[in-house]
Amino acid sequence: MNHDHSHALFTRAQSLLPGGVNSPVRAFKSVGGEPFFVERADGPYLFDVDGNRYIDYVGSWGPMVVGHNHPQVREAVRLAIDNGLSFGTPTPAEVTMAETITRLVPSCEMVRMVNSGTEATLSAIRLARGATGRNRIVKFEGCYHGHGDSFLVKAGSGMLTLGVPTSPGVPAGLSELTLTLSYNDFDAASRLFEEAGDDIAALIIEPVVGNANCLPPREGYLQHLRQLCTQYGALLIFDEVMTGFRVALGGAQARYGVTPDLTTFGKIIGGGMPVGAYGGRRDLMQQIAPAGPIYQAGTLSGNPVAMAAGLAMLELVQAPGFHDRLEAASNTLCDGLQAAAAEAGVALTTTRVGGMFGLFFTDQQVDTYAQAVACDTAAFNRFFHAMLERGVYLAPSAFEAGFMSSAHDAAVIEQTIAIAREAFAVVAK
Ligand code: PLP
């Protein structure tokens, strides 16, 4: 594969953009090498500036659940653009969007549109703090909730010790308010709430972790967290920025039958445009300005073009059987990859939840962050490059979930598995 044009662009970009990119994981630092620059995308494919085609399992990091450049989404955007790009006034599409989200995700009795997943999560914890009058929040090791200060925190030496910033620029005084738990550890959550439950405003979780590869919840785990939050008067926030409309039409909360107090969204609800949202119980959402005193605002929030793209996307995912087909595709891919890995003598474990999947280079079952971190990342990196050279783009990090789309048909998946056979042989060498 020739990458001359990508290389030239990356060279220019590096002197102008920090790391040559506008979001860190795009720079390929974790897998090594250089990113390719994309010119266009269609269905399951990305096409780079050197004319190379890739089968894409990143899907713009989640939004592209119906494949790239879907004609219905494109047409909705074109029609919206004809009317103007932004008005700074209420628009009809915002009302339709709110009706759609509250219908598909009934725990959201009201919603507020924002412009990214990060905005959604940091607004949700402000609401939780404002509504409960408490300051502490709980998050999970390996979960990512965007780049808000309160989330760029890791655990101190003990469970109840003060959180420590993971980035310069995050004030220690703020990170101290974030407590960190191990995902899927029932007892740790119980102990933490016993010790500090009365101070906790909210517990925020990716109900299926998609930012530490792909970790499904253990049976009853989300219910356990729901029970603890209810008992101690803390709010349960499901960060469904990734899982929303992907692991089931109603998100992880529908799939696992657990009702959070607040939910955050992003990715799919924007159809590829910059959109986020948070929603939840009416009595909580009524506390957001201007209905209530907790402030949150946005010049471009509810933007008409973004709403049009998101509504078109949400229309498509409501097709009967959409999520069953998506899950079947994830299963076919993961079963095929496991068989190909076994043929090559490479240890591989996979996880799948609806349109998300995880590839772990280990022979162990994986459902905790510690287990995910213990996998053979060097083997993943070799696999990543062997796939990329052969025209399959996986997330450029061993700690990101894979994303299936409805455009990945049987032939595309079969081709992916055939390419993986060669890639596993490279890994095995
Ligand atoms: N929450 C989750 C679960 C995410 O995966 C992400 C981004 O990947 C975010 C929040 C932040 O969203 P954004 O990148 O749109 O700010």
Side-chain angles (χ1 to χ4, degrees):
M1 257 185 202
N2 181 305
H3 292 293
D4 289 351
H5 288 94
S6 276
H7 177 69
L9 280 163
F10 195 49
T11 306
R12 276 165 62 198
Q14 278 174 300
S15 66
L16 300 165
L17 300 164
V21 291
N22 281 310
S23 195
V25 72
R26 295 179 199 170
F28 277 30
K29 272 199 139 175
S30 143
V31 289
E34 288 188 354
F36 57 94
F37 283 63
V38 170
E39 194 167 70
R40 68 186 180 90
D42 196 46
Y45 303 116
L46 293 175
F47 298 87
D48 74 12
V49 289
D50 291 287
N52 302 306
R53 189 186 80 172
Y54 308 87
I55 301 174
D56 176 27
Y57 289 99
V58 183
S60 191
W61 298 95
M64 297 305 168
V65 72
V66 297
H68 290 283
N69 204 9
H70 193 286
Q72 265 169 258
V73 179
R74 202 171 59 226
E75 180 61 9
V77 168
R78 200 187 59 71
L79 288 172
I81 282 173
D82 282 350
N83 290 331
L85 299 184
S86 175
F87 314 127
T89 65
T91 63
E94 293 166 274
V95 184
T96 311
M97 177 59 92
E99 284 168 349
T100 306
I101 294 175
T102 54
R103 176 169 53 80
L104 297 179
V105 186
S107 74
C108 292
E109 295 174 322
M110 299 184 92
V111 288
R112 168 60 61 84
M113 302 310 298
V114 293
N115 303 288
S116 67
T118 295
E119 259 189 76
T121 55
L122 57 88
S123 305
I125 58 160
R126 179 177 305 146
L127 170 54
R129 285 173 164 153
T132 60
R134 302 172 178 182
N135 285 334
R136 286 181 133 176
I137 62 161
V138 179
K139 75 177 279 288
F140 290 80
E141 210 179 11
C143 282
Y144 178 69
H145 304 291
H147 61 87
D149 286 349
S150 291
F151 303 120
L152 298 182
V153 176
K154 64 179 178 192
S157 49
M159 187 167 61
L160 267 175
T161 48
L162 309 175
V164 182
T166 55
S167 166
V170 174
L174 188 61
S175 68
E176 288 170 2
L177 298 175
T178 303
L179 301 169
T180 307
L181 276 175
S182 304
Y183 180 76
N184 270 338
D185 184 336
F186 285 68
D187 291 345
S190 302
R191 286 200 307 275
L192 182 102
F193 273 86
E194 269 163 36
E195 297 279 341
D198 294 338
D199 293 336
I200 295 170
L203 175 148
I204 185 166
I205 186 166
E206 286 181 76
V208 177
V209 182
N211 284 288
N213 211 324
C214 179
L215 306 173
R218 284 183 184 157
E219 178 86 41
Y221 188 62
L222 298 173
Q223 285 81 354
H224 178 62
L225 299 177
R226 173 67 277 178
Q227 188 269 319
L228 287 171
C229 286
T230 304
Q231 183 182 343
Y232 287 92
L235 301 184
L236 176 64
I237 306 176
F238 274 6
D239 180 351
E240 299 233 38
V241 166
M242 202 180 264
T243 53
F245 313 103
R246 175 172 282 282
V247 299
L249 180 57
Q253 54 196 273
R255 188 174 178 114
Y256 298 105
V258 176
T259 306
D261 300 295
L262 295 172
T263 303
T264 55
F265 299 101
K267 303 192 191 270
I268 287 176
I269 52 162
M273 299 290 285
V275 179
Y278 62 105
R281 276 169 31 203
R282 183 177 302 277
D283 63 304
L284 295 170
M285 295 303 292
Q286 286 281 24
Q287 298 184 44
I288 297 289
I294 300 170
Y295 195 70
Q296 187 272 311
T299 300
L300 295 174
S301 295
N303 172 271
V305 183
M307 294 302 97
L311 283 170
M313 180 74 86
L314 291 181
E315 189 68 42
L316 290 164
V317 301
Q318 289 178 68
F322 179 90
H323 290 90
D324 291 343
R325 288 193 294 279
L326 203 61
E327 178 143 331
S330 299
N331 284 331
T332 308
L333 175 70
C334 289
D335 289 345
L337 292 179
Q338 285 206 190
E343 276 166 36
V346 172
L348 183 81
T349 299
T350 63
T351 54
R352 329 80 195 261
V353 186
M356 283 168 74
F357 60 89
L359 308 179
F360 300 90
F361 283 80
T362 175
D363 54 8
Q364 308 289 308
Q365 195 206 326
V366 181
D367 65 5
T368 69
Y369 178 65
Q371 290 164 331
V373 171
C375 292
D376 187 347
T377 47
F380 171 81
N381 291 353
R382 288 202 302 281
F383 183 67
F384 168 84
H385 282 293
M387 293 292 275
L388 191 67
E389 279 161 23
R390 292 165 177 78
V392 177
Y393 179 47
L394 300 167
S397 159
F399 300 105
E400 303 285 351
F403 293 117
M404 184 55 70
S405 92
S406 55
H408 290 73
D409 61 18
V412 168
I413 291 174
E414 202 178 303
Q415 197 188 351
T416 307
I417 294 166
I419 290 171
R421 269 191 209 102
E422 294 176 24
F424 283 124
V426 173
V427 174
K429 263 189 205 152

